[in-house]
Amino acid sequence: MKFAGINLNEPRIMGVINVSPESFYKGSVRNDEEKLIETTLRMVEEGASFIDIGAKSTAPYLETQIPLEEEIRRAVWAVKTIRDHVDVPISIDTTNAKVAEEAIKAGADIINDVTGLKGDPEMPKVAADYGTPVVLCAHGEVRNFSDPVRTVMDFLQESLEIAEKHGIEDVAVDPAIGFLRPEWPPWYVWDSNVIANLNLLKSLGRPILVGVSRKSFIGAITGRQSPSERLAGSLSATAIAVLKGADIVRTHDVKETLDTIKVASFMGKFSP
Ligand SMILES: Nc1nc2c(c(=O)[nH]1)N=C(COP(=O)(O)OP(=O)(O)O)CN2
Ligand SMILES: Nc1ccc(C(=O)O)cc1
Protein backbone atom coordinates (compact mmCIF):
# COMPACT_ATOMS: atom_id res chain seq x y z
CA MET A 1 0.00 0.00 0.00
CA LYS A 2 1.14 3.55 -0.77
CA PHE A 3 0.08 7.04 0.23
CA ALA A 4 1.22 10.13 -1.69
CA GLY A 5 3.90 8.02 -3.34
CA ILE A 6 5.33 6.74 -0.05
CA ASN A 7 5.57 2.98 0.35
CA LEU A 8 3.83 1.82 3.52
CA ASN A 9 5.40 -1.62 3.76
CA GLU A 10 6.55 -0.49 7.21
CA PRO A 11 5.02 2.18 9.48
CA ARG A 12 6.07 5.72 8.57
CA ILE A 13 6.31 8.99 10.43
CA MET A 14 4.68 12.31 9.71
CA GLY A 15 6.58 15.06 11.54
CA VAL A 16 4.41 17.95 12.75
CA ILE A 17 5.49 21.57 12.61
CA ASN A 18 3.07 24.32 13.58
CA VAL A 19 3.39 27.92 12.49
CA SER A 20 0.43 28.76 14.71
CA PRO A 21 1.45 30.30 18.05
CA GLU A 22 -1.89 29.24 19.57
CA SER A 23 -1.15 25.50 19.07
CA PHE A 24 -1.61 23.36 22.18
CA TYR A 25 2.02 22.20 22.35
CA LYS A 26 4.26 25.27 22.29
CA GLY A 27 7.31 23.09 21.58
CA SER A 28 5.83 22.41 18.12
CA VAL A 29 5.70 26.06 17.08
CA ARG A 30 8.23 27.64 14.70
CA ASN A 31 7.76 31.16 13.43
CA ASP A 32 11.21 32.12 12.37
CA GLU A 33 12.60 31.11 9.00
CA GLU A 34 15.90 29.71 10.19
CA LYS A 35 14.31 27.58 12.95
CA LEU A 36 11.60 26.33 10.59
CA ILE A 37 14.18 25.11 8.06
CA GLU A 38 16.39 23.65 10.79
CA THR A 39 13.50 21.69 12.33
CA THR A 40 12.30 20.41 8.96
CA LEU A 41 15.78 19.19 8.02
CA ARG A 42 16.24 17.57 11.42
CA MET A 43 12.88 15.77 11.25
CA VAL A 44 13.66 14.36 7.80
CA GLU A 45 17.17 13.35 8.88
CA GLU A 46 15.66 11.62 11.93
CA GLY A 47 13.32 9.59 9.71
CA ALA A 48 10.16 11.55 8.93
CA SER A 49 8.61 10.39 5.64
CA PHE A 50 6.15 13.32 5.59
CA ILE A 51 6.12 16.84 7.05
CA ASP A 52 2.77 18.26 8.19
CA ILE A 53 2.43 22.03 8.40
CA GLY A 54 -0.28 23.52 10.61
CA ALA A 55 -1.07 27.22 10.25
CA LYS A 56 -4.02 27.30 12.65
CA SER A 57 -4.67 25.19 15.74
CA THR A 58 -7.66 22.84 15.59
CA ALA A 59 -7.61 21.98 19.32
CA PRO A 60 -11.27 21.58 20.32
CA TYR A 61 -10.66 23.02 23.81
CA LEU A 62 -8.72 26.18 22.79
CA GLU A 63 -9.80 29.56 21.44
CA THR A 64 -8.29 29.23 17.99
CA GLN A 65 -10.10 31.64 15.68
CA ILE A 66 -7.82 33.68 13.42
CA PRO A 67 -8.66 35.54 10.19
CA LEU A 68 -8.55 33.45 7.03
CA GLU A 69 -5.94 35.80 5.50
CA GLU A 70 -3.67 35.12 8.46
CA GLU A 71 -3.96 31.35 8.06
CA ILE A 72 -3.20 31.68 4.34
CA ARG A 73 -0.22 33.95 5.02
CA ARG A 74 1.27 31.55 7.58
CA ALA A 75 0.63 28.44 5.45
CA VAL A 76 2.11 29.89 2.25
CA TRP A 77 5.12 31.29 4.11
CA ALA A 78 5.86 27.95 5.79
CA VAL A 79 5.43 25.78 2.71
CA LYS A 80 7.52 28.13 0.53
CA THR A 81 10.21 28.31 3.20
CA ILE A 82 10.74 24.55 3.46
CA ARG A 83 9.76 23.32 -0.01
CA ASP A 84 13.19 23.45 -1.61
CA HIS A 85 14.98 22.03 1.41
CA VAL A 86 13.37 18.57 1.49
CA ASP A 87 12.04 15.96 -0.94
CA VAL A 88 9.44 14.35 1.35
CA PRO A 89 5.75 15.11 0.76
CA ILE A 90 4.53 18.17 2.66
CA SER A 91 0.97 18.14 3.93
CA ILE A 92 -1.07 21.17 4.86
CA ASP A 93 -3.23 20.74 7.94
CA THR A 94 -6.28 22.83 7.16
CA THR A 95 -10.05 22.63 6.97
CA ASN A 96 -10.28 25.56 4.56
CA ALA A 97 -10.25 25.06 0.78
CA LYS A 98 -8.67 28.46 0.06
CA VAL A 99 -5.79 27.73 2.47
CA ALA A 100 -5.36 24.30 0.91
CA GLU A 101 -5.30 25.72 -2.62
CA GLU A 102 -2.77 28.44 -1.81
CA ALA A 103 -0.56 25.96 0.07
CA ILE A 104 -0.67 23.54 -2.88
CA LYS A 105 0.34 26.37 -5.22
CA ALA A 106 3.22 27.09 -2.83
CA GLY A 107 4.36 23.46 -3.04
CA ALA A 108 2.29 21.35 -0.62
CA ASP A 109 1.58 17.76 -1.75
CA ILE A 110 -1.15 16.54 0.62
CA ILE A 111 -4.30 18.01 2.19
CA ASN A 112 -4.74 17.00 5.82
CA ASP A 113 -8.37 17.84 6.56
CA VAL A 114 -9.49 17.14 10.11
CA THR A 115 -13.11 17.50 8.94
CA GLY A 116 -12.68 14.66 6.43
CA LEU A 117 -13.89 16.77 3.46
CA LYS A 118 -17.08 17.68 5.37
CA GLY A 119 -16.09 21.16 6.63
CA ASP A 120 -15.63 23.27 3.52
CA PRO A 121 -17.84 22.30 0.56
CA GLU A 122 -15.09 23.51 -1.83
CA MET A 123 -12.43 21.19 -0.37
CA PRO A 124 -13.25 18.06 -2.43
CA LYS A 125 -13.10 20.17 -5.60
CA VAL A 126 -9.65 21.58 -4.70
CA ALA A 127 -8.33 18.07 -3.96
CA ALA A 128 -9.81 16.75 -7.21
CA ASP A 129 -8.67 19.69 -9.37
CA TYR A 130 -5.06 19.47 -8.16
CA GLY A 131 -5.03 15.66 -7.86
CA THR A 132 -3.90 16.05 -4.25
CA PRO A 133 -3.88 13.08 -1.84
CA VAL A 134 -6.02 13.66 1.27
CA VAL A 135 -5.88 12.61 4.92
CA LEU A 136 -9.50 12.07 5.95
CA CYS A 137 -10.21 12.44 9.65
CA ALA A 138 -13.32 11.01 11.26
CA HIS A 139 -15.68 13.94 11.69
CA GLY A 140 -19.31 14.33 12.68
CA GLU A 141 -21.82 14.88 15.44
CA VAL A 142 -21.02 12.37 18.20
CA ARG A 143 -23.96 10.92 20.08
CA ASN A 144 -23.59 10.11 23.77
CA PHE A 145 -23.17 6.43 24.66
CA SER A 146 -22.25 5.56 21.06
CA ASP A 147 -19.63 2.94 20.29
CA PRO A 148 -16.31 4.71 19.63
CA VAL A 149 -14.84 2.58 16.83
CA ARG A 150 -18.16 2.01 15.06
CA THR A 151 -18.80 5.76 15.09
CA VAL A 152 -15.31 6.49 13.76
CA MET A 153 -15.80 3.92 10.99
CA ASP A 154 -19.21 5.38 10.04
CA PHE A 155 -17.77 8.92 9.90
CA LEU A 156 -14.84 7.72 7.79
CA GLN A 157 -17.14 5.81 5.46
CA GLU A 158 -19.05 9.06 4.81
CA SER A 159 -15.77 10.83 3.99
CA LEU A 160 -14.68 8.00 1.71
CA GLU A 161 -17.96 8.36 -0.17
CA ILE A 162 -17.38 12.10 -0.65
CA ALA A 163 -13.84 11.37 -1.87
CA GLU A 164 -15.05 8.68 -4.24
CA LYS A 165 -17.79 10.90 -5.65
CA HIS A 166 -15.13 13.46 -6.58
CA GLY A 167 -12.69 10.92 -7.98
CA ILE A 168 -10.19 11.39 -5.12
CA GLU A 169 -8.49 8.02 -4.79
CA ASP A 170 -5.27 8.57 -2.87
CA VAL A 171 -6.56 8.87 0.69
CA ALA A 172 -5.54 7.84 4.20
CA VAL A 173 -8.03 7.46 7.05
CA ASP A 174 -7.50 8.87 10.54
CA PRO A 175 -9.60 8.20 13.69
CA ALA A 176 -9.24 11.85 14.85
CA ILE A 177 -7.83 11.18 18.29
CA GLY A 178 -8.73 14.04 20.67
CA PHE A 179 -11.32 15.58 18.37
CA LEU A 180 -14.45 13.50 19.09
CA ARG A 181 -15.80 14.40 22.51
CA PRO A 182 -19.25 13.20 23.56
CA GLU A 183 -20.43 13.88 27.11
CA TRP A 184 -20.22 10.11 27.65
CA PRO A 185 -17.90 8.25 27.54
CA PRO A 186 -15.27 10.84 28.52
CA TRP A 187 -12.95 11.66 25.64
CA TYR A 188 -9.90 9.86 27.13
CA VAL A 189 -11.95 6.65 27.36
CA TRP A 190 -13.17 7.24 23.81
CA ASP A 191 -9.65 7.81 22.47
CA SER A 192 -8.20 4.81 24.32
CA ASN A 193 -11.00 2.57 23.10
CA VAL A 194 -10.43 3.69 19.50
CA ILE A 195 -6.68 3.05 19.65
CA ALA A 196 -7.14 -0.33 21.32
CA ASN A 197 -9.50 -1.35 18.49
CA LEU A 198 -7.72 0.40 15.63
CA ASN A 199 -7.36 -2.91 13.78
CA LEU A 200 -11.07 -2.69 12.87
CA LEU A 201 -10.30 0.28 10.61
CA LYS A 202 -8.29 -2.06 8.38
CA SER A 203 -11.59 -3.16 6.81
CA LEU A 204 -11.85 0.28 5.16
CA GLY A 205 -8.95 -0.85 2.97
CA ARG A 206 -6.99 2.41 3.24
CA PRO A 207 -3.76 3.45 4.96
CA ILE A 208 -4.37 4.35 8.61
CA LEU A 209 -2.81 7.54 9.97
CA VAL A 210 -2.92 8.25 13.72
CA GLY A 211 -2.01 11.33 15.73
CA VAL A 212 -1.67 10.80 19.47
CA SER A 213 1.31 13.06 20.07
CA ARG A 214 1.19 14.79 23.49
CA LYS A 215 -2.62 14.98 23.37
CA SER A 216 -4.90 15.61 26.31
CA PHE A 217 -6.07 11.97 26.65
CA ILE A 218 -2.45 11.14 27.56
CA GLY A 219 -2.61 13.98 30.09
CA ALA A 220 -5.84 12.60 31.57
CA ILE A 221 -4.45 9.07 31.93
CA THR A 222 -1.03 10.02 33.30
CA GLY A 223 -1.92 13.17 35.22
CA ARG A 224 0.64 15.14 33.19
CA GLN A 225 -0.85 18.61 32.90
CA SER A 226 1.60 20.03 30.42
CA PRO A 227 1.98 18.67 26.87
CA SER A 228 5.74 19.05 27.39
CA GLU A 229 5.55 16.18 29.94
CA ARG A 230 3.61 13.76 27.75
CA LEU A 231 6.30 12.19 25.55
CA ALA A 232 6.55 8.83 27.34
CA GLY A 233 2.76 8.45 27.42
CA SER A 234 2.59 9.33 23.72
CA LEU A 235 5.18 6.70 22.83
CA SER A 236 3.22 4.08 24.74
CA ALA A 237 0.04 4.94 22.80
CA THR A 238 2.08 4.94 19.58
CA ALA A 239 3.35 1.42 20.22
CA ILE A 240 -0.20 0.15 20.70
CA ALA A 241 -1.45 1.98 17.62
CA VAL A 242 1.31 0.39 15.53
CA LEU A 243 0.58 -3.09 16.95
CA LYS A 244 -3.04 -2.52 15.96
CA GLY A 245 -2.12 -1.58 12.41
CA ALA A 246 -1.30 2.14 12.14
CA ASP A 247 0.59 2.82 8.89
CA ILE A 248 1.54 6.45 9.53
CA VAL A 249 2.13 8.07 12.92
CA ARG A 250 1.82 11.84 13.13
CA THR A 251 4.18 13.17 15.79
CA HIS A 252 6.05 16.14 17.23
CA ASP A 253 8.94 13.84 18.24
CA VAL A 254 10.36 12.07 15.23
CA LYS A 255 13.46 10.43 16.67
CA GLU A 256 11.78 8.86 19.70
CA THR A 257 8.74 7.84 17.68
CA LEU A 258 10.87 6.10 15.06
CA ASP A 259 12.46 3.82 17.69
CA THR A 260 9.02 3.16 19.15
CA ILE A 261 7.46 2.12 15.86
CA LYS A 262 10.46 0.00 14.94
CA VAL A 263 10.22 -2.01 18.18
CA ALA A 264 6.41 -2.26 18.06
CA SER A 265 6.29 -3.36 14.44
CA PHE A 266 9.13 -5.83 14.92
CA MET A 267 7.31 -7.48 17.82
CA GLY A 268 4.04 -7.32 15.90
CA LYS A 269 5.47 -9.82 13.43
CA PHE A 270 5.35 -12.50 16.15
CA SER A 271 1.76 -11.97 17.25
CA PRO A 272 -1.31 -13.03 15.27
N1 LIG B 1 -4.83 14.09 10.45
C1 LIG B 1 -4.65 14.64 11.65
N2 LIG B 1 -4.44 15.95 11.77
C2 LIG B 1 -4.24 16.49 13.00
C3 LIG B 1 -4.26 15.69 14.16
C4 LIG B 1 -4.50 14.30 14.00
O1 LIG B 1 -4.56 13.51 14.97
N3 LIG B 1 -4.68 13.81 12.75
N4 LIG B 1 -4.04 16.25 15.37
C5 LIG B 1 -3.75 17.54 15.49
C6 LIG B 1 -3.29 18.10 16.80
O2 LIG B 1 -1.90 18.33 16.83
P1 LIG B 1 -1.24 19.77 16.60
O3 LIG B 1 0.11 19.79 17.21
O4 LIG B 1 -1.30 20.13 15.16
O5 LIG B 1 -2.19 20.72 17.47
P2 LIG B 1 -2.91 22.11 17.12
O6 LIG B 1 -4.19 21.76 16.45
O7 LIG B 1 -3.13 22.75 18.46
O8 LIG B 1 -2.00 22.91 16.25
C7 LIG B 1 -3.85 18.44 14.37
N5 LIG B 1 -4.04 17.81 13.10
N1 LIG C 1 -6.07 19.72 17.33
C1 LIG C 1 -6.02 19.07 18.53
C2 LIG C 1 -5.07 19.45 19.46
C3 LIG C 1 -5.00 18.80 20.68
C4 LIG C 1 -5.90 17.77 20.98
C5 LIG C 1 -5.84 17.07 22.30
O1 LIG C 1 -5.01 17.49 23.13
O2 LIG C 1 -6.61 16.15 22.53
C6 LIG C 1 -6.84 17.38 20.03
C7 LIG C 1 -6.90 18.02 18.81
Side-chain angles (χ1 to χ4, degrees):
M1 199 150 38
K2 278 189 171 191
F3 179 59
I6 301 298
N7 200 327
L8 303 176
N9 53 350
E10 54 190 85
R12 304 287 178 188
I13 289 182
M14 174 176 275
V16 183
I17 305 177
N18 290 311
V19 292
S20 39
E22 73 279 6
S23 280
F24 86 102
Y25 172 45
K26 302 304 171 202
S28 70
V29 178
R30 301 288 179 278
N31 31 32
D32 132 338
E33 185 174 317
E34 205 179 310
K35 292 214 170 70
L36 176 59
I37 296 170
E38 190 186 294
T39 303
T40 307
L41 289 172
R42 179 173 49 75
M43 283 186 167
V44 172
E45 195 185 294
E46 288 175 350
S49 299
F50 307 86
I51 294 290
D52 188 41
I53 294 289
K56 176 186 170 191
S57 173
T58 50
Y61 51 87
L62 294 180
E63 189 41 68
T64 58
Q65 276 321 308
I66 57 162
L68 174 61
E69 298 70 41
E70 174 65 5
E71 190 185 353
I72 294 176
R73 191 194 62 73
R74 293 175 183 177
V76 169
W77 168 74
V79 173
K80 276 196 177 149
T81 300
I82 64 170
R83 179 64 289 175
D84 292 339
H85 292 271
V86 285
D87 290 333
V88 302
I90 297 171
S91 69
I92 180 67
D93 181 355
T94 187
T95 61
N96 186 284
K98 197 76 203 136
V99 177
E101 182 167 17
E102 293 306 317
I104 292 165
K105 287 197 218 153
D109 307 283
I110 298 169
I111 298 171
N112 173 17
D113 181 359
V114 301
T115 69
L117 298 176
K118 296 172 189 172
D120 186 332
E122 296 302 314
M123 193 67 106
K125 190 171 155 19
V126 171
D129 285 354
Y130 289 86
T132 310
V134 181
V135 178
L136 299 169
C137 284
H139 179 80
E141 201 72 51
V142 199
R143 276 180 293 107
N144 288 330
F145 304 102
S146 53
D147 178 75
V149 197
R150 280 252 57 94
T151 306
V152 161
M153 303 247 293
D154 290 347
F155 287 167
L156 287 171
Q157 194 58 54
E158 292 166 1
S159 292
L160 286 168
E161 279 162 28
I162 300 172
E164 200 170 313
K165 211 172 89 192
H166 289 81
I168 305 162
E169 285 170 11
D170 196 358
V171 298
V173 294
D174 180 324
I177 299 299
F179 289 88
L180 303 172
R181 295 176 177 238
E183 274 165 36
W184 193 266
W187 92 99
Y188 57 92
V189 172
W190 179 283
D191 287 338
S192 299
N193 191 321
V194 170
I195 294 167
N197 292 287
L198 198 70
N199 51 305
L200 296 178
L201 266 63
K202 284 276 167 201
S203 67
L204 296 172
R206 306 294 183 147
I208 300 172
L209 189 150
V210 183
V212 298
S213 196
R214 298 180 182 269
K215 282 186 175 164
S216 53
F217 80 105
I218 308 275
I221 296 169
T222 59
R224 305 285 180 202
Q225 293 287 325
S226 167
S228 67
E229 301 177 305
R230 298 179 188 159
L231 176 59
S234 304
L235 297 176
S236 172
T238 297
I240 293 167
V242 167
L243 270 183
K244 296 286 176 179
D247 298 294
I248 305 170
V249 176
R250 181 184 181 277
T251 181
H252 305 106
D253 306 283
V254 173
K255 188 173 170 214
E256 295 84 351
T257 301
L258 184 63
D259 284 3
T260 305
I261 67 178
K262 277 185 178 167
V263 173
S265 73
F266 187 78
M267 287 189 189
K269 291 179 192 163
F270 307 105
S271 84

